[in-house]
Amino acid sequence: MKLIQTFDYAELSQQAAEQIISRIKRKPSLNLGLATGSTPTGLYQELIKDHQQNKTSYKQINTFNLDEYIGIPKKDSHSYHYFMCEKLFKHIDIPLDQTHIPDGTARLLDEECTRYEQFIQEHGGIDLQILGIGQNGHIGFNEPGTSFDSRTHIIDLAESTRKANSRFFASVDDVPLQAITMGIASIMDSKEIFLLVSGHAKAEALARLINGDVSEDFPASVLKKHPNVSIFADKEATALL
Ligand code: GLP
């Protein structure tokens, strides 16, 4: 794992964006794995700015999101479909039918998991996956205890995750109990991974990732077994290293 330390969140977002843009220049039909949460929003703003100023094009890109809440309609402002449209897709030239997110409203959820997993593989797999990290070490929505062999699956959200994400909802009771997420093995299939870590609240998680053991109790630790991971972390996040 390569650690790229930045001064602050703005620099983290800029550096990650620069690297993504260079990958797109090298391969205009890049398969790009995307994440939600607060951490990548600065990166998405940088990609939008670059698209407007330098005309980097996403016309041949396919995107694959990590996860989606179960039971929230796509048009609902709490869905990750809505989040991605607002924060990125509607501001760049990507055709919407090339943006892929698991369907948390599918009638047959197990079939949706299998479909999404196969769909990524049929597209040739993910070239570059963007990840955030939960305070409990979750990646995507793979909570502690998830098997490293897992593929796209349904997960019961940890109470701590529901609390952390309640800031986006009226109350914690409104946060869905379950989500559909790419599995750990699905994420590990990506050719390259960028992990973004920002702020004091993530310092403990980053220290455990760097200094701790590889264990299913701390899902992000699996990244130590991947040959091509870059961690972009700001000063606050690296405070305990
Ligand atoms: C969410 C998402 C993850 C994200 C994480 C951290 O629950 N499913 O993909 O990385 O939590 O979010 P944030 O960046 O807001 O701290």
Side-chain angles (χ1 to χ4, degrees):
M1 297 191 302
K2 187 165 107 189
L3 179 63
I4 298 152
Q5 283 179 277
T6 67
F7 178 67
D8 58 11
Y9 177 67
E11 199 196 355
L12 178 157
S13 304
Q14 283 155 9
Q15 291 212 13
E18 266 171 37
Q19 293 294 320
I20 293 173
I21 293 159
S22 83
R23 305 296 186 282
I24 295 175
K25 292 223 157 82
R26 221 183 289 156
K27 186 178 178 190
S29 63
L30 196 78
N31 281 342
L32 184 58
L34 296 176
T36 51
S38 304
T39 313
T41 55
L43 157 68
Y44 296 154
Q45 279 166 18
E46 290 297 324
L47 294 180
I48 293 165
K49 202 161 76 183
D50 162 77
H51 170 69
Q52 288 164 349
Q53 289 174 355
N54 307 318
K55 308 278 172 266
T56 302
S57 176
Y58 294 78
K59 279 195 178 138
Q60 298 179 56
I61 302 275
N62 272 273
T63 63
F64 301 88
N65 263 78
L66 286 166
D67 46 20
E68 177 59 284
Y69 288 117
I70 286 185
I72 299 209
K74 293 176 191 172
K75 291 209 165 107
D76 187 303
S77 63
H78 298 99
S79 76
Y80 284 168
H81 277 79
Y82 186 92
F83 177 98
M84 288 310 304
C85 251
E86 291 299 310
K87 303 285 183 202
L88 181 65
F89 299 153
K90 77 177 196 191
H91 307 284
I92 56 175
D93 63 348
I94 191 162
L96 275 186
D97 61 358
Q98 287 166 216
T99 65
H100 315 291
I101 304 179
D103 180 0
T105 59
R107 205 167 43 87
L108 301 170
L109 286 166
D110 286 339
E111 287 182 14
E112 171 58 8
C113 293
T114 314
R115 180 200 70 80
Y116 195 65
E117 188 72 32
Q118 280 173 0
F119 186 76
I120 296 171
Q121 285 172 15
E122 280 161 20
H123 275 75
I126 291 171
D127 294 306
L128 171 60
Q129 176 68 55
I130 312 302
L131 290 181
I133 186 170
Q135 288 178 35
N136 63 4
H138 75 229
I139 48 176
F141 264 135
N142 293 288
E143 299 285 21
T146 305
S147 164
F148 283 170
D149 294 329
S150 55
R151 295 279 160 188
T152 302
H153 63 115
I154 308 297
I155 186 98
D156 293 335
L157 296 179
E159 229 14 72
S160 60
T161 299
R162 292 184 65 237
K163 261 190 210 135
N165 288 6
S166 66
R167 67 191 193 277
F168 297 112
F169 292 81
S171 81
V172 69
D173 297 333
D174 293 339
V175 183
L177 295 166
Q178 290 186 311
I180 177 166
T181 180
M182 272 188 214
I184 304 266
S186 332
I187 292 171
M188 289 292 280
D189 278 349
S190 312
K191 296 181 188 80
E192 184 172 18
I193 295 176
F194 285 0
L195 175 68
L196 312 186
V197 194
S198 169
H200 285 302
K202 299 290 172 67
E204 231 170 89
L206 183 61
R208 184 164 173 194
L209 170 60
I210 305 276
N211 301 323
D213 299 333
V214 175
S215 153
E216 289 180 351
D217 292 338
F218 194 74
S221 64
V222 75
L223 298 175
K224 288 184 159 171
K225 302 207 285 184
H226 192 285
N228 197 2
V229 176
S230 300
I231 303 174
F232 294 80
D234 59 19
K235 219 160 81 188
E236 290 184 0
T238 54
L240 298 177
L241 294 183

